[in-house]
Amino acid sequence: MARYLITGIGGFIGSSLARSLLSRGEQVRGVDNFSTGRHENVAEIRTQIDFREADILDLDAMHDACRGVDYVLHQAAIPSVPKSVLDPLGSNQANVDGTVNVLIAARDAKVKRVVYAASSSAYGDTPTLPKHEEMTPNPISPYAVAKLASEHYMISFFRCYGLETVSLRYFNIFGPRQDPSSPYSGVLAKFITAMLRNEQPTIYGDGEQSRDFTYIDNAVEANLLACKAPAGEAAGKVFNVATGRRVTLIETFKMLQAITAYKGQPAYGPERSGDIKHSLADISKAARHLGYKPLVNFEEGLQRTVEWYRKAM
Ligand code: UD1
């Protein structure tokens, strides 16, 4: 049995990681400041975890949190492109300064490995598809810049201090517990909850933009593999975590119509600043080094997610 620290355990991805680790008999400690995380996400597992309400910007709290920990899964962030465009300083503090704090604390506590929630947004709007890890990053939004800067810090801590770090570039992770309520929420959480309430979802832009939407179980699996892969395969490296297939927003809307029986049409709004047009991952590096392959495809993931919101709403 190993001890894991999850930063951002109140978030959709952090709380999913916690559930999965608990079901495998692992020990879970978690921190969250509930700036974007939610109490409801951890309420059910609250008694099974060592939970500390803390901000990753609080270095002392991070030192405490890392004590006796084997693996850190660093998920805490302000995860929004448009929010970062409005507040680049806040994005940088949470997404860069926070990461450096976590790394310092993990280094000092002699943690075995830190796995980081990096982002596909680092690639930006490069025309080349699929995106692979050897491409030169081209971040557009402050959020993307911050996520990329933290990736570099991950690599730096491996090179300078020998702390084993792995960055997982998530491609549009979705699934149960993703918060649909903020204007910055992920598109699938927003579309699904709107359509189940018989409300009209809004497409920003022409709806031809595409994403490699990735069901949460695939991201959880990638984190577990990233902890356990031999250091020679994983440490100091960056990996895409995705499915290797892209769908447009219009296609996605139609698939959701079939699942939810929503009869209306989407509304259209202006394209978002900082948005990118197409996103598709090459997942062969993660397959080669981590043994990663997607466990749940897009259709199945959509079905499961709609089922979950149906029950939760
Ligand atoms: C981006 C990042 C992703 C990051 C996420 C955090 C890329 C490729 N991905 O995702 O790594 O984790 O931000 O927020 O840059 N949309 C609508 N209607 C809505 C909401 C969104 O049409 O109600 C559109 C957006 O304009 C965008 C697409 O749906 O074109 C996906 O948006 P969203 O779910 O917010 O994620 P990304 O911005 O792609």
Side-chain angles (χ1 to χ4, degrees):
M1 206 190 329
R3 181 177 287 146
Y4 291 74
L5 169 67
I6 301 173
T7 68
I9 198 168
F12 143 63
I13 299 177
S15 61
S16 302
L17 285 166
R19 282 179 167 76
S20 174
L21 289 169
L22 289 172
S23 75
R24 288 157 204 260
E26 306 288 3
Q27 288 181 15
V28 177
R29 182 178 292 166
V31 295
D32 207 298
N33 67 350
F34 296 111
S35 70
T36 59
R38 291 154 66 111
H39 289 277
E40 303 93 275
N41 287 344
V42 281
E44 233 174 51
I45 54 169
R46 188 70 179 74
T47 55
Q48 296 161 260
I49 59 176
D50 170 6
F51 176 72
R52 294 133 187 241
E53 186 159 346
D55 194 319
I56 54 171
L57 289 171
D58 179 347
L59 182 57
D60 290 341
M62 290 309 106
H63 271 127
D64 283 344
C66 283
R67 207 158 289 133
V69 160
D70 297 296
Y71 302 101
V72 176
L73 306 179
H74 177 36
Q75 313 297 307
I78 298 185
S80 167
V81 169
K83 210 169 181 174
S84 78
V85 174
L86 291 172
D87 179 18
L89 194 57
S91 171
N92 192 76
Q93 280 164 348
N95 300 332
V96 184
D97 298 351
T99 299
V100 178
N101 272 348
V102 170
L103 281 169
I104 289 170
R107 177 201 64 189
D108 294 350
K110 302 198 169 21
V111 159
K112 285 187 187 137
R113 196 170 285 181
V114 180
V115 180
Y116 173 58
S119 170
S120 58
S121 57
Y123 291 111
D125 221 357
T126 44
T128 316
L129 292 177
K131 320 263 193 194
H132 60 82
E133 296 85 344
E134 274 61 52
M135 287 169 65
T136 305
N138 185 24
I140 299 173
S141 63
Y143 169 77
V145 172
K147 280 279 162 180
L148 181 61
S150 276
E151 254 183 38
H152 287 302
Y153 272 116
M154 288 284 145
I155 297 165
S156 167
F157 270 63
F158 175 58
R159 290 195 180 151
C160 296
Y161 309 109
L163 173 65
E164 292 181 12
T165 58
V166 187
S167 294
L168 301 177
R169 283 187 184 161
Y170 293 162
F171 280 67
N172 294 79
I173 312 298
F174 73 98
R177 292 184 194 85
Q178 190 168 24
D179 178 13
S181 65
S182 134
Y184 309 115
S185 298
V187 67
L188 293 182
K190 288 175 78 182
F191 276 22
I192 292 170
T193 50
M195 290 163 84
L196 286 176
R197 291 192 184 109
N198 206 27
E199 291 166 4
Q200 196 177 28
T202 301
I203 291 180
Y204 301 129
D206 62 6
E208 292 300 335
Q209 67 264 53
S210 59
R211 294 292 184 271
D212 191 336
F213 289 113
T214 305
Y215 187 65
I216 180 67
D217 287 17
N218 302 323
V220 169
E221 174 73 0
N223 274 274
L224 302 179
L225 291 168
C227 289
K228 292 300 156 70
E233 300 290 327
K237 291 196 167 74
V238 175
F239 299 99
N240 288 341
V241 172
T243 69
R245 177 183 155 208
R246 70 186 167 99
V247 285
T248 68
L249 278 194
I250 290 175
E251 286 165 347
T252 303
F253 171 80
K254 287 183 183 149
M255 291 163 81
L256 284 175
Q257 261 189 326
I259 304 174
T260 62
Y262 176 75
K263 299 279 183 294
Q265 290 303 314
Y268 283 85
E271 192 180 316
R272 274 179 173 174
S273 155
D275 209 18
I276 70 142
K277 191 73 184 174
H278 300 297
S279 180
L280 171 70
D282 179 334
I283 52 174
S284 58
K285 186 176 173 190
R288 230 171 23 250
H289 294 275
L290 305 179
Y292 167 80
K293 61 174 190 307
L295 301 176
V296 179
N297 68 23
F298 182 54
E299 285 83 356
E300 175 64 23
L302 274 189
Q303 293 275 5
R304 290 191 198 179
T305 308
V306 171
E307 263 334 290
W308 187 86
Y309 282 111
R310 242 195 252 281
K311 289 194 189 118
M313 282 166 63

